[in-house]
Amino acid sequence: MSFEFIISEPQYQPHIALVRLNRPKELNALNLQLMGELRDALKELDDNNDVRVIIITGNEKAFAAGADIKQMSDKSAIDMLQIDQFSTWDSIRKTRKPIIAAVSGFALGGGCELSMLCDMIVASETAKFGQPEIKIGVMPGAGGTQRLTRAVGKARAMEMVLTGKFISAEEAFQFGLINKIVPVELYLQEAVKLAKEIAEMSPIAVQLAKESVNKVYDSSLQEGLSFERKNFYMLFASEDQKEGMSAFIEKRKPEFKGR
Ligand code: DAK
C-alpha cells in the first residue's frame, strides 16, 4: 500500500513495524486523508502475521498538533456528523497488536488523543501534551475528556481541558500518562527497545492481555465517548467555533462571544 501522509514500514525491525506520521510542515496535523491512511496501514499490519508490535511516531518537533483545523474550520455540525471520522478512530482502537506511541514535540488535541489511544507512550524530553481545543472554541472530541481523565485524574484533566495548557514530558510522567522519558535523540530507539521486549512474548498471550487490560476502560468508556462526540459536533453549530478556528488560521487572537 502506498500512502501520501504516512510512511509505513512493516519490517522496521524483526517483528516490529513503524508508522511515521508525515506532514512535517503542518506539524503532522491529522487531516482526514492521513487518518484514513493510518487506519488502513494499521489494519494491514494487524493482519500481517510477521508483525508483533507497532510503533507510531512523528518527528522531533511534532507527534501531531491535532486534527487539521484548516480542514474543519468551515464545517457545520451536520458535516462533522456525516464525515463520521469516529469510525476511523474506532477501528484504530480495535487493533489487536500492541501499539507504542513514540512522541517528541507536540502531542496536542487529536495528537494527544491518538497517543492515548496507543497502549504505551515513550516520550522525548521535549514532548508536550495538551488538549487545547478550548482555545479554538471547541472541546476534545476523540477521547480526550475520557482517556485523559482516566489517565491523570479529574483535577489535572479538568485543568488541561478547560484552560488548554500543555504539560511537559516530566509532568506527563509524574501524572502516569506516559511510560518513559528519554533524551530526544533516543526516543525512537527506546520505543524499539520496549517493542522488542514485547515481541519476544507469545503473540497470542500479548493480544489477549492487551484486550483484557483495555476491558477496564471499555465498559463505560463507550458511553462517555459517544456523549463527548455529540457535544463536539454540536460545537460546530456555534459562532465561537468559527471565530476560534478562523482566528487560528488568520494568526490573531479570537474574540469569543458565547454564541
Ligand atoms: N491544524 C492545521 N494546521 C496546523 C495545526 C492544526 N492543528 N497545527 C499547526 N498547524 C500549522 C500552522 O497553521 C502552520 O502552518 P502555516 O501557517 O505555516 O501554513 C504550521 O502548522 C506551523 O505551525 P505554527 O506556525 O503555529 O508553529 P508554532 O511552533 O508557532 O506553534 C503550535 C505550534 C502547535 C503551538 C501551534 O501550531 C498550535 O497551537 N496549533 C494548533 C493546536 C491545536 O489547537 N490543536 C487542536 C486541534 S482540534 C474527532 C477526532 C479528532 C478531533 C476531534 C474529533 N472525532 C473523531 C469526532 C480533534 C480535534 C483537534 O485536535
Side-chain angles (χ1 to χ4, degrees):
M1 248 185 242
S2 73
F3 301 110
E4 185 180 351
F5 296 123
I6 64 166
I7 299 167
S8 177
E9 296 182 58
Q11 285 158 348
Y12 182 68
Q13 301 259 322
H15 301 305
I16 297 167
L18 181 75
V19 180
R20 191 180 286 281
L21 310 179
N22 193 33
R23 285 187 85 202
K25 276 198 221 129
E26 293 83 7
L27 304 181
N28 290 332
L30 306 168
N31 65 12
L32 292 175
Q33 189 179 336
L34 186 155
M35 286 308 295
E37 290 180 2
L38 182 59
R39 174 202 54 210
D40 294 346
L42 290 176
K43 171 87 181 69
E44 192 181 46
L45 297 172
D46 212 27
D47 292 342
N48 179 338
N49 285 336
D50 188 53
V51 172
R52 294 190 179 177
V53 184
I54 301 164
I55 299 173
I56 300 181
T57 195
N59 54 55
E60 274 185 22
K61 187 154 187 221
F63 177 72
D68 191 327
I69 301 171
K70 292 167 191 167
Q71 198 173 48
M72 279 190 299
S73 63
D74 63 351
K75 297 283 184 286
S76 69
I78 300 304
D79 291 335
M80 292 301 288
L81 191 73
Q82 283 175 341
I83 291 169
D84 190 23
Q85 212 201 133
F86 192 75
S87 61
T88 304
W89 287 73
D90 210 33
S91 72
I92 296 174
R93 185 183 65 79
K94 288 183 183 141
T95 306
R96 289 159 298 168
K97 291 173 186 168
I99 309 179
I100 299 172
V103 175
S104 183
F106 298 112
L108 305 177
C112 185
E113 290 167 315
L114 177 61
S115 72
M116 292 189 291
L117 199 56
C118 296
D119 302 304
M120 280 158 288
I121 304 176
V122 173
S124 85
E125 287 163 340
T126 64
K128 289 184 186 65
F129 297 84
Q131 298 288 161
E133 292 89 341
I134 201 84
K135 291 185 180 167
I136 53 168
V138 288
M139 58 174 273
T145 63
Q146 305 300 300
R147 291 198 179 90
L148 186 67
T149 308
R150 282 168 164 82
V152 305
K154 178 183 160 186
R156 290 172 186 133
M158 272 297 181
E159 192 174 339
M160 287 174 72
V161 169
L162 300 189
T163 68
K165 71 166 68 147
F166 305 160
I167 56 169
S168 65
E170 187 55 47
E171 287 169 303
F173 183 71
Q174 280 167 18
F175 299 167
L177 185 66
I178 66 176
N179 295 70
K180 271 174 208 275
I181 318 173
V182 290
V184 68
E185 61 280 9
L186 293 179
Y187 74 99
L188 187 53
Q189 218 171 299
E190 196 64 28
V192 170
K193 210 165 122 193
L194 181 58
K196 275 185 178 158
E197 276 185 56
I198 299 165
E200 281 174 15
M201 308 299 162
S202 152
I204 304 167
V206 166
Q207 180 189 322
L208 294 185
K210 165 175 168 161
E211 209 178 286
S212 306
V213 172
N214 279 336
K215 197 76 193 160
V216 168
Y217 293 93
D218 282 354
S219 12
S220 60
L221 180 62
Q222 282 315 313
E223 235 177 62
L225 289 174
S226 109
F227 187 76
E228 176 194 72
R229 190 164 73 246
K230 286 194 185 111
N231 288 344
F232 177 79
Y233 293 144
M234 179 94 80
L235 286 167
F236 281 76
S238 76
E239 289 174 25
D240 282 352
Q241 172 269 328
K242 295 285 170 293
E243 166 63 9
M245 293 196 180
S246 304
F248 173 81
I249 293 167
E250 291 156 19
K251 299 186 187 292
R252 62 177 173 80
K253 208 167 179 292
E255 279 183 42
F256 294 126
K257 300 214 169 80
R259 287 202 295 268

